[in-house]
Amino acid sequence: MTHSPDDLTWLHIGAGSFHRAHQAVYLDRLRERGLAGRWHLALANIRADMSELLDALARQDGHYTLETVTPQGQRSYQRIEVIDRIVPWSEQLGELIAMGAAAATRIISFTVTEGGYYLDHRHRLDTGNADLAADLQCSLDGSGRPRTIYGAIAAILHARSSHGGQAPLTLLNCDNLRHNGERFRAGLLEFLVLRGEAALASWVENFTSCPNAMVDRITPRPTPAVRQRVRDATGVDDPCALMGESFIQWVVEDDFKAGRPALEQVGVEMVSSVLPYEEAKIRILNASHSCIAWAGTLAGLQFIHQGTQRDDIRGMAADYVTQDVIACLTPSPLDLAAYRDTTLARFGNPAIEDTNQRVAADGYSKIPGFIRPTIEQSLAAGRQPRATAMLPALFFVFLQRWHAGLLPYEYQDGLFDPTAVRAMLSAPDSLAAFCQDRVLWGELAGDARLVALLREAEQRVRQWLSR
């Protein structure tokens, strides 16, 4: 597509399904309604794993078909045509860096999942991670090979700020990371300081903003069945087709450094603080999702909806919210009980066919991010969060199955150290060792109250599995 010199670019990093079923949908609404103005969307990826998809999208001018399905099984099909530039991947990310550095690029958003921020239990950079360590040694002169979001953004900002460049920029997280804008910004500044880039860190503080945001839409990995249904329904054979649930939500703090499109006109909730929405989503939806995935895997189930439709597994997730989370989050601008019920109805949608494997991944990010805060807050208030304790107990038994080679799939986790976890699970008292893991538990690690809670919860999990 030919652009005019006055056009503005929204660049998204992360070509996976979630962006194409979420942020791109909102921006496509702007395009359809003639509200996009000067804004254009470009799509890129940091790693090579999406190169085949990017190539396929490029052959289709960035267009693709989205299938959505309601909890009642009603399917609909939409052609998304908002992406008008596909940035090809290369090891040095040359075209991505050039586009991000251009003054016309005013927003760079990214979806790299929770583990992609490489934060430890103190929310500091995990510099022991091999990819992050490599990026800390990576040159900014264009000869390096960035592997992480920090390395890629640092290279972009170095090129953007060179020769006194002062074009402001918004860096926008689209992941399930609590306080995501704040924590990414802190991680980026720490990354730059560790590399001796004090001048660039100062530029970041002066010329960028990082709004917090909350995103929500269940988007399973595409399967051949999705492509077939799209072909049957639309007559289009689309290798880039994907599906998602009908529910969609995006809440963003209105702190854009260099302007933005009229997102509020297409359903984006622009707020002064995303905190209450973020807490409800992370603790109710994300934690319950993980609970059902771990329990469903242990029960021999493949899909999330299968576990949600079982009274025992659904009851674990509902009790966790009802008995512990609502007390922690009250008062709230949301009807938390209604949010719980809507969430469980979404999870029970059989048409989504979301796998336990996908949702069970990254437990070493999810325990500290989604679950530990409710335990900490409950204990501080003098309450015993017995229902919440079931979630890490499920994960502990899940890890034991992994250790024994008994999981029905390969477990993926961007943060945990397999060698260290195997040593923990081989300890004489492996449950106590689990409770001492600071990556999972932070300042709560080794706390006698935590050990007692989880020991009792583990017994309940094993009794449940023996029925």
Side-chain angles (χ1 to χ4, degrees):
M1 178 177 292
T2 301
H3 293 174
S4 79
D6 295 328
D7 285 344
L8 303 176
T9 299
W10 179 315
L11 171 62
H12 185 83
I13 299 173
S17 298
F18 186 76
H19 167 72
R20 295 190 297 122
H22 190 270
Q23 296 91 39
V25 172
Y26 286 101
L27 298 177
D28 196 66
R29 290 176 185 172
L30 287 172
R31 178 195 63 80
E32 282 189 324
R33 299 176 191 180
L35 300 172
R38 299 158 59 196
W39 289 93
H40 297 270
L41 178 61
L43 181 62
N45 213 56
I46 294 174
R47 298 179 182 248
D49 57 351
M50 289 292 171
S51 294
E52 185 175 337
L53 172 66
L54 290 174
D55 291 343
L57 282 168
R59 289 192 294 270
Q60 299 180 175
D61 298 322
H63 302 172
Y64 57 93
T65 306
L66 172 66
E67 174 191 62
T68 56
V69 59
T70 69
Q72 295 75 37
Q74 297 173 318
R75 299 180 189 272
S76 60
Y77 299 88
Q78 178 184 4
R79 193 70 173 167
I80 305 296
E81 299 182 352
V82 71
I83 299 173
D84 62 9
R85 179 160 179 187
I86 302 296
V87 183
W89 181 87
S90 66
E91 278 196 324
Q92 295 176 336
L93 305 184
E95 291 195 42
L96 167 60
I97 293 168
M99 174 165 284
T105 298
R106 302 294 180 86
I107 298 171
I108 299 178
S109 58
F110 34 90
T111 304
V112 297
T113 76
E114 300 83 51
Y117 295 97
Y118 305 100
L119 300 175
D120 64 18
H121 68 278
R122 299 171 300 161
H123 313 302
R124 302 292 298 274
L125 291 182
D126 176 14
T127 54
N129 178 275
D131 286 341
L132 191 62
D135 272 9
L136 285 168
Q137 300 300 318
C138 190
S139 170
L140 284 176
D141 63 5
S143 63
R145 298 176 181 177
R147 305 180 189 183
T148 70
I149 189 63
Y150 301 108
I153 294 295
I156 287 170
L157 298 184
H158 174 79
R160 192 178 182 96
S161 64
S162 293
H163 312 298
Q166 296 183 355
L169 181 68
T170 299
L171 301 170
L172 179 61
N173 298 66
C174 298
D175 281 307
N176 294 319
L177 184 73
R178 182 180 275 101
H179 311 307
N180 53 21
E182 298 167 35
R183 289 185 176 161
F184 167 75
R185 187 178 186 83
L188 177 62
L189 291 171
E190 182 185 358
F191 179 87
L192 294 174
V193 169
L194 289 172
R195 287 198 359 182
E197 298 286 344
L200 187 54
S202 177
W203 191 94
V204 168
E205 291 181 320
N206 289 323
F207 296 106
T208 70
S209 64
C210 299
N212 293 311
M214 186 272 274
V215 296
D216 192 7
R217 178 173 242 182
I218 298 172
T219 309
R221 294 187 181 99
T223 65
V226 175
R227 182 174 178 176
Q228 182 63 52
R229 287 197 301 270
V230 167
R231 182 164 52 235
D232 292 344
T234 69
V236 176
D237 185 14
D238 185 354
C240 305
L242 73 161
M243 70 94 71
E245 63 170 337
S246 54
F247 181 94
I248 188 169
Q249 187 179 25
W250 194 7
V251 185
V252 187
E253 291 177 356
D254 200 356
D255 181 22
F256 286 71
K257 194 75 168 180
R260 62 170 177 82
L263 297 172
E264 70 280 1
Q265 296 193 37
V266 289
V268 182
E269 298 173 70
M270 306 302 300
V271 300
S272 59
S273 173
V274 79
L275 181 62
Y277 303 90
E278 175 183 82
E279 286 299 314
K281 196 259 180 168
I282 286 175
R283 296 207 208 183
I284 294 177
L285 186 141
N286 294 119
S288 297
H289 218 186
S290 298
C291 170
I292 292 167
W294 294 329
T297 299
L298 294 175
L301 307 176
Q302 181 180 0
F303 296 109
I304 289 292
H305 71 268
Q306 294 172 323
T308 308
Q309 292 171 357
R310 277 181 45 161
D311 290 343
D312 52 352
I313 296 177
R314 183 188 182 98
M316 289 183 202
D319 289 348
Y320 151 70
V321 176
T322 304
Q323 296 177 22
D324 296 336
V325 175
I326 289 178
C328 289
L329 298 187
T330 300
S332 170
L334 291 82
D335 182 334
L336 298 172
Y339 189 87
R340 172 203 60 206
D341 295 343
T342 298
T343 294
L344 291 174
R346 292 166 61 195
F347 292 165
N349 186 342
I352 294 293
E353 293 190 336
D354 203 4
T355 63
N356 288 324
Q357 179 179 14
R358 186 189 77 86
V359 181
D362 293 319
Y364 261 70
S365 297
K366 292 173 178 176
I367 293 289
F370 303 168
I371 298 163
R372 188 177 82 207
T374 299
I375 294 179
E376 291 174 327
Q377 193 173 349
S378 298
L379 291 175
R383 299 189 296 267
Q384 291 295 307
R386 295 181 71 249
T388 305
M390 288 292 285
L391 278 62
L394 286 165
F395 182 59
F396 173 71
V397 176
F398 175 93
L399 284 179
Q400 289 184 317
R401 293 260 184 106
W402 165 81
H403 182 50
L406 297 177
L407 287 183
Y409 50 74
E410 181 181 354
Y411 174 61
Q412 298 173 321
D413 197 312
L415 277 189
F416 87 148
D417 178 342
T419 301
V421 173
R422 291 192 187 280
M424 174 194 77
L425 295 170
S426 299
D429 187 343
S430 55
L431 190 279
F434 177 75
C435 293
Q436 291 168 356
D437 190 326
R438 293 187 69 83
V439 175
L440 292 172
W441 301 110
E443 299 304 317
L444 199 59
D447 190 302
R449 297 170 298 172
L450 175 68
V451 177
L453 271 171
L454 264 62
R455 204 175 291 284
E456 190 267 343
E458 182 200 4
Q459 292 174 357
R460 283 187 284 146
V461 169
R462 297 199 184 282
Q463 290 170 358
W464 166 68
L465 287 171
S466 67
R467 291 172 191 164

